[in-house]
Amino acid sequence: MIDDLTLAEKQFADIKAAEYIGKGYEVSRDAPLEFLPGYSADLLVKTGHETKVIEIKTRPSLVANPALRELERIINSRPGWSFELQLVGEPERVDALENAQTLDESAILSCLEQAGELLDAGSPQAAFMIAWSAAEATVRMLVSGEGIAIERATNPAYILGMAVAHGAVSRDDYYHLLRIMEYRNAIAHGFEVADFNDALITELITTVNKLLCEYHASI
């Protein structure tokens, strides 16, 4: 850490730490390095004989830190060590009407019911998209329940990352929803997915109901 992290960088560090932990890495935050006095790595990730130093920066803070190139050279010169720079993008805003509001729990449950009816009626893609809207709204509700301030209109991958980083959803549910989101992205943009099936929709509905139950248990 060459300087203090901004809020966006801290949030991104939370997300990346959760991802590496989920992959089985040992992760340390703000970790001092003996061979670089005065420097602490934003993230230090280890597995086996591999050690990676991850520096997290927004583009403005990257420009303000010319020492990064020398830092990279020193770390990469050590056997088994590598340096990685992660650039933080601003959370993507989703175009929405000014008066649009996120779904409340009653509306979420209504969406799940509609999704089930559409699935029974032989309209799986429509059922899937409505179930996904319920999933996004549920994750936003869980994140807000943890006292985490987020913009109303941000992309689902960012919100999911915030949710797992702050313990609002489990890593298993996080990876499950990320996988399902790939289907959502394809279908929403007019692609046909060969392995899309009714079971995927049922899984999504089940996951949303599970998250709602966990939300109630937490409060």
Side-chain angles (χ1 to χ4, degrees):
M1 182 185 296
I2 293 179
D3 53 15
D4 291 335
L5 293 179
T6 66
L7 177 59
E9 289 166 347
K10 287 179 181 177
Q11 291 174 338
F12 188 79
D14 288 341
I15 293 168
K16 298 307 294 184
E19 288 180 2
Y20 276 104
I21 291 171
K23 295 175 182 177
Y25 284 79
E26 177 186 341
V27 178
S28 301
R29 299 283 300 272
D30 193 18
L33 303 183
E34 293 181 357
F35 58 91
L36 286 172
Y39 170 78
S40 295
D42 292 337
L43 291 178
L44 187 69
V45 299
K46 298 181 180 180
T47 181
H49 299 293
E50 176 190 1
T51 302
K52 181 183 298 186
V53 173
I54 300 177
E55 187 76 14
I56 295 169
K57 289 284 174 280
T58 58
R59 289 191 183 277
S61 62
L62 175 63
V63 172
N65 285 294
L68 280 173
R69 187 177 296 276
E70 178 62 13
L71 177 66
E72 179 179 9
R73 184 193 66 78
I74 293 171
I75 292 172
N76 284 339
S77 68
R78 298 179 65 85
W81 286 67
S82 64
F83 176 86
E84 182 176 314
L85 175 65
Q86 291 275 350
L87 285 180
V88 182
E90 291 300 316
E92 179 185 341
R93 293 178 179 271
V94 177
D95 291 335
L97 296 173
E98 287 297 323
N99 61 351
Q101 298 294 325
T102 193
L103 301 179
D104 60 18
E105 185 174 356
S106 176
I108 290 170
L109 291 171
S110 178
C111 283
L112 294 178
E113 184 178 350
Q114 292 176 49
E117 292 171 353
L118 285 166
L119 184 59
D120 291 340
S123 299
Q125 291 188 339
F128 178 70
M129 295 306 291
I130 289 178
W132 178 259
S133 71
E136 281 198 41
T138 300
V139 173
R140 284 198 297 271
M141 185 172 69
L142 289 168
V143 171
S144 297
E146 293 292 324
I148 305 162
I150 59 170
E151 292 290 337
R152 173 181 60 82
T154 49
N155 70 37
Y158 178 82
I159 295 173
L160 275 173
M162 291 298 295
V164 70
H166 291 274
V169 301
S170 69
R171 284 196 293 272
D172 286 345
D173 287 333
Y174 168 72
Y175 288 118
H176 179 61
L177 288 171
L178 274 186
R179 180 179 66 85
I180 292 178
M181 187 173 66
E182 294 177 353
Y183 289 87
R184 175 267 177 197
N185 293 342
I187 292 170
H189 295 292
F191 291 95
E192 184 175 352
V193 185
D195 60 345
F196 177 75
N197 54 55
D198 290 1
L200 189 72
I201 304 163
T202 302
E203 286 178 21
L204 179 56
I205 293 172
T206 299
T207 298
V208 176
N209 277 314
K210 172 177 173 287
L211 292 176
L212 288 173
C213 289
E214 291 175 353
Y215 173 74
H216 282 290
S218 69
I219 59 175

